[in-house]
Amino acid sequence: MNVPHMPSDDFQRIGAQLLKLISDYHRALQAGEIVVRPDVQPGDVAAMLPDAPPPHGEPWDAIVEDIQRIVIPGVMHWQSPDFFGYFPANASYPAMLADLLCAGLGVQGMLWQTGPACTEMETRVLDWLADMIGLPPAFRSNAKHEEGGGGVIHGTASEAVLTALVAARHRAVTNGAASSDALVAYTSTQAHSSVMKAARIIGLPEQRVRLIDTDAALAMSPSALRAAMGADAASDRSPFFVCATLGTTSTGAIDPLAPIGEIAHTHHAWVHCDAAWAGSALICPEHRGMLDGVEGCDSFNFNPHKWMLTNFDCSAMWVSDRQALLSALSITPEYLRNRASDAGAVIDYRDWHIPLGRRFRALKLWFVLRHYGVEGLQAHIREGVRLAEIFESLVAEDDRFEMPVERSLSLVCFCLKRGDADTRALLDRVNNSGACFLTHTIIPAPASGGTEPRFVIRMAIGGAHTREQHVRAAWDVIAREAAGI
Amino acid sequence: MNVPHMPSDDFQRIGAQLLKLISDYHRALQAGEIVVRPDVQPGDVAAMLPDAPPPHGEPWDAIVEDIQRIVIPGVMHWQSPDFFGYFPANASYPAMLADLLCAGLGVQGMLWQTGPACTEMETRVLDWLADMIGLPPAFRSNAKHEEGGGGVIHGTASEAVLTALVAARHRAVTNGAASSDALVAYTSTQAHSSVMKAARIIGLPEQRVRLIDTDAALAMSPSALRAAMGADAASDRSPFFVCATLGTTSTGAIDPLAPIGEIAHTHHAWVHCDAAWAGSALICPEHRGMLDGVEGCDSFNFNPHKWMLTNFDCSAMWVSDRQALLSALSITPEYLRNRASDAGAVIDYRDWHIPLGRRFRALKLWFVLRHYGVEGLQAHIREGVRLAEIFESLVAEDDRFEMPVERSLSLVCFCLKRGDADTRALLDRVNNSGACFLTHTIIPAPASGGTEPRFVIRMAIGGAHTREQHVRAAWDVIAREAAGI
């Protein structure tokens, strides 16, 4: 039989249908016609899918119908303006169009040769982005391909920290300064779980990852870091890696880069900065205070796919010395050799990350940056922060509530003074109401303000279409449900 | 200022424009109007991109124009029917539409809760696919969430083998059977470079990855494997991992799973099967001979994004025991806890791979499987193999040429009898002609048929729109250019 490829006319027709479906979906989300959290139980979606694969091709009408019947009612609606859970995962029309074009071109950019534009556009837009967030010149590629710094797009911040750990270990061990059995890594008790996961992956035993205590604002304590690194060094262990966080996942705490960098450097340790969420705020100069000391970082990462309107997956990472990455990750089998690479004239991004193959993700940043412009993206960040300030003041005015930690950018953590059981009940009631969706965390003592950890609700603002009305409506529901407990 | 989001009408209008642009691009590719390898030198694309990010939003006319002016002339045309390099990276209209829908929904499916349909559809389509390629029942999820096997979509085969290595190490060390310092991994000299890269990432020193010799067909030699594992075990080292390959990247060699599994199991070593490219052929029952012994594998991986019409990135991996993965990779911070996960009633795919966040990639497989049906995909595979048989016979009939190794599925490796210098020159002339694009590899002695390694050209067929005429035209150019050297 002939291969039943989709005719070009059908592609355009069904594509237009999907564009409309997506538009309608977002219109319905923005109109509040869709409950954020889907009404499905484990197994419900699976029960609607046949047990066996389709032996013959099926008509597109059936497929499009199933999108409406099975898919849309079965997803969490991350793009709803009433979604305040986790952190936002901003989608935008320009980024969606870029994902379409990326798929349409079908380029696999593992080497410069296999995608010159894929490679050079990535280098350039990451230079732009480094500029936009105020990174020092060392992190820019400046089109020098054999030395200096530069940026790369990963899928997730988890991959960025893993890559940083591998490069750090390679540098520490090949410098002859350390045995791989003696390496110790440091991060705060509040760091993202991906740091511990990456440590596990590289084979660093749990007891050689020190979770450093934090201060009352849940930021890493430099004195605790200094003590821990000093004690390890004095015991013939080799401090080799520190992961600082700008904007922890739990509460948005900001680790102080300047003292951390200073302490780390006395031990020649690599400093990675995980700004996965908060990094987007750096495009606004008024939030760049947290960058103080960033010149002491060896690598820096943030996710435009969280709060910068660039659809998942787009995690930007920069290094100040690309050689550390390249020497740790580059392996060249014969079948990948080519003249441009052999001449050292180009960047081959396969050596900058875990995977070999890669999509043309730079298109997403290029579309988003050009459509919104720097000022448009700044407006989005500022709106998120402004709405969080409003929410913060609403909480502050209600004496049933308290905020054990301060608002961080667009994240507000709050709880009922009556205690954890009531706060947990409140979160359930609010989410069950269908009006909005929020998630929680636990704040350890003594940052919790007492001797016990506190359960708090996280209000993470920053959705692309979240407006003041949505934030006020969420508060109204919270205040009302609190009264009913 | 207000955030300048793209209006819904513009999204649909520009989206339709891009659908047309993509259609036109593929029409031009299929009409042979675009030279496969772009005519750009290092720096050419970068020179067309501004140094600084756009301060203000730009009009879409300018962006779309730049796609035509900068992007399309700057990419390698992987989707050209005259692209025979590396391995194919099949794109298809149904998969492109799925990527659009994936971006449009903006779902982040790290947990079941954050994307029930994203999770359950993935489980189901990977069960379908396991069925389609003839994997034993142990690799299917069967909707049991706490035990048994199951499948997951990774970005690339590199991530699959990395994950397998981490799970294998965890199993070996926590069983108490091995110290992590004594672990030894095994793969053939012909295995993909991603195996060595993954070993580096997990911190396994190079000298503890044994590259096992191959036979005349470049398949791993079971006797050499037996000897190596035996010698290590006898020296108090712990064989813990074997990576077998179905269809090596270099020449498409097929490692014999049955004896490999048997030998590995006497040492309780994990067996990973990397079928990245050749795995797609398993949807045709006539190619399932190579699966003999697959029940001895702990994990199995292939890339629908290579030869199964599912746009990059879509790498399918199955394990026969999910607990090995979960116990190696699962870490649950408070902010990710939720009722469905706590109850053990669901799959949370974040614990099955390196990243935390994840896109709704199951849509691609769902669209592709439903559009083509099993028989449509089989027709695509069979066409690729048929064309390779034709090409093989053309080479065989020309006595200037030889094929040091046999054709494997749709891959033919060939060279000039006159020697490597001429074959290298031929490859350059063919690629410079613009008629098609091929890449090379080196075949080690004695498989090369002599005492020296041989440089061979790889003709990798399997493009979505490669027809007999393209293969014959490529051969005509090869035969003509060979005459001119």
Side-chain angles (χ1 to χ4, degrees), chain B residues 91-413:
Chain B
S92 72
Y93 286 150
M96 292 174 209
L97 295 177
D99 270 345
L100 170 63
L101 181 62
C102 169
L105 296 177
V107 169
Q108 204 274 55
M110 58 185 175
L111 303 168
W112 179 87
Q113 162 164 299
T114 72
C118 175
T119 300
E120 296 190 8
M121 185 182 287
E122 183 158 331
T123 307
R124 181 57 50 90
V125 294
L126 287 175
D127 276 357
W128 287 0
L129 204 50
D131 222 37
M132 286 170 60
I133 66 172
L135 288 185
F139 291 98
R140 268 164 257 181
S141 71
N142 297 313
K144 285 185 205 145
H145 297 303
E146 288 174 70
E147 53 182 35
V152 61
I153 301 177
H154 290 279
T156 61
S158 303
E159 292 153 72
V161 69
L162 172 57
T163 308
L165 263 172
V166 171
R169 179 182 57 192
H170 186 81
R171 189 176 77 177
V173 173
T174 51
N175 278 353
S179 139
S180 59
D181 292 338
L183 299 175
V184 187
Y186 307 79
T187 194
S188 94
T189 56
Q190 298 297 303
H192 192 266
S193 56
S194 57
V195 182
M196 193 55 92
K197 185 168 175 175
R200 267 202 205 170
I201 291 167
I202 74 157
L204 198 65
E206 209 151 306
Q207 65 273 21
R208 283 201 277 113
V209 183
R210 311 253 179 268
L211 299 181
I212 303 299
D213 276 342
T214 52
D215 63 17
L218 295 172
M220 190 193 289
S221 154
S223 59
L225 177 67
R226 181 179 291 110
M229 294 184 92
D232 282 321
S235 310
D236 285 334
R237 286 182 290 263
S238 304
F240 83 110
F241 182 82
V242 181
C243 178
T245 311
L246 297 183
T248 59
T249 303
S250 205
T251 63
I254 309 285
D255 290 344
L257 296 184
I260 290 172
E262 227 169 88
I263 298 160
H265 285 213
T266 62
H267 298 280
H268 308 289
W270 183 290
V271 181
H272 177 69
C273 179
D274 169 10
W277 162 67
S280 294
L282 295 169
I283 60 176
C284 300
E286 66 270 28
H287 297 304
R288 289 205 195 133
M290 62 175 126
L291 271 189
D292 185 33
V294 71
E295 59 284 353
C297 292
D298 296 279
S299 50
F300 186 95
N301 168 241
F302 92 96
N303 292 346
H305 68 226
K306 280 196 167 67
W307 193 15
M308 214 191 80
L309 299 171
T310 312
N311 275 53
F312 191 91
D313 49 354
C314 181
S315 180
M317 181 189 189
W318 292 266
V319 289
S320 57
D321 172 17
R322 70 180 67 177
Q323 277 309 325
L325 271 189
L326 299 186
S327 52
L329 290 171
S330 157
I331 299 175
T332 303
E334 184 62 32
Y335 48 79
L336 294 179
R337 287 190 62 186
N338 66 87
R339 220 160 259 140
S341 303
D342 287 352
V346 296
I347 286 180
D348 289 326
Y349 274 121
R350 70 180 179 101
D351 295 327
W352 292 56
H353 55 35
I354 313 297
L356 170 58
R358 60 201 325 265
R359 281 150 53 234
F360 197 160
R361 284 185 293 214
L363 287 172
K364 289 203 252 206
L365 278 172
W366 196 53
F367 275 21
V368 166
L369 294 175
R370 295 187 70 179
H371 171 81
Y372 288 97
V374 174
E375 64 176 12
L377 295 171
Q378 288 173 333
H380 169 60
I381 296 295
R382 286 174 180 143
E383 177 68 357
V385 175
R386 186 182 76 86
L387 298 182
E389 287 167 348
I390 292 174
F391 187 84
E392 177 187 31
S393 67
L394 292 169
V395 179
E397 284 160 17
D398 188 325
D399 60 13
R400 298 171 298 172
F401 288 89
E402 62 184 324
M403 291 174 280
V405 292
E406 280 186 19
R407 173 184 60 79
S408 173
L409 299 166
S410 61
L411 175 66
V412 180
C413 296

Side-chain angles (χ1 to χ4, degrees), chain A residues 132-416:
Chain A
M132 288 170 59
I133 64 173
L135 288 185
F139 291 98
R140 268 163 255 183
S141 72
N142 296 313
K144 284 186 206 145
H145 296 304
E146 289 174 69
E147 52 182 34
V152 61
I153 302 176
H154 289 279
T156 61
S158 303
E159 292 154 70
V161 70
L162 172 57
T163 308
L165 262 173
V166 171
R169 179 182 58 191
H170 186 81
R171 189 176 78 178
V173 173
T174 51
N175 279 353
S179 139
S180 59
D181 291 338
L183 299 175
V184 187
Y186 306 81
T187 195
S188 94
T189 56
Q190 297 297 304
H192 192 266
S193 55
S194 58
V195 182
M196 194 55 92
K197 185 167 175 177
R200 267 202 205 169
I201 290 167
I202 75 157
L204 198 65
E206 210 150 305
Q207 65 273 21
R208 283 201 277 111
V209 182
R210 310 253 180 270
L211 299 181
I212 304 298
D213 275 343
T214 53
D215 63 17
L218 294 172
M220 191 193 288
S221 154
S223 59
L225 177 67
R226 181 179 292 110
M229 294 184 91
D232 282 321
S235 310
D236 284 332
R237 287 183 288 264
S238 303
F240 84 111
F241 181 82
V242 181
C243 178
T245 310
L246 297 184
T248 58
T249 303
S250 205
T251 63
I254 309 285
D255 290 344
L257 296 184
I260 290 172
E262 228 170 86
I263 298 160
H265 285 214
T266 63
H267 298 281
H268 309 286
W270 182 290
V271 181
H272 176 69
C273 178
D274 169 10
W277 162 67
S280 293
L282 295 168
I283 61 176
C284 299
E286 67 269 28
H287 296 304
R288 288 203 195 134
M290 62 176 125
L291 270 189
D292 185 33
V294 71
E295 59 283 353
C297 293
D298 296 278
S299 50
F300 186 95
N301 168 241
F302 92 96
N303 293 346
H305 68 226
K306 279 198 166 67
W307 193 15
M308 214 191 80
L309 299 172
T310 311
N311 275 52
F312 191 92
D313 52 351
C314 181
S315 180
M317 180 190 189
W318 292 266
V319 290
S320 57
D321 171 16
R322 70 180 67 176
Q323 277 308 325
L325 270 189
L326 299 185
S327 52
L329 292 171
S330 157
I331 298 175
T332 302
E334 184 62 33
Y335 49 78
L336 294 179
R337 287 191 62 186
N338 66 88
R339 222 160 258 141
S341 302
D342 288 351
V346 295
I347 286 180
D348 289 327
Y349 274 121
R350 70 180 178 103
D351 295 327
W352 293 55
H353 54 35
I354 313 299
L356 170 58
R358 61 202 322 266
R359 280 150 54 235
F360 197 159
R361 284 184 292 213
L363 287 172
K364 288 202 254 207
L365 278 172
W366 196 53
F367 275 22
V368 166
L369 294 175
R370 295 187 70 179
H371 171 82
Y372 287 96
V374 174
E375 64 176 13
L377 295 170
Q378 288 172 335
H380 169 61
I381 297 294
R382 287 177 179 140
E383 177 68 356
V385 175
R386 185 182 77 84
L387 298 182
E389 287 167 349
I390 291 173
F391 187 84
E392 177 187 32
S393 67
L394 292 168
V395 178
E397 284 161 18
D398 188 325
D399 60 12
R400 297 171 297 170
F401 288 90
E402 62 184 324
M403 291 173 281
V405 292
E406 280 187 19
R407 173 185 59 82
S408 173
L409 300 165
S410 60
L411 175 67
V412 180
C413 295
F414 64 98
C415 57
L416 284 165

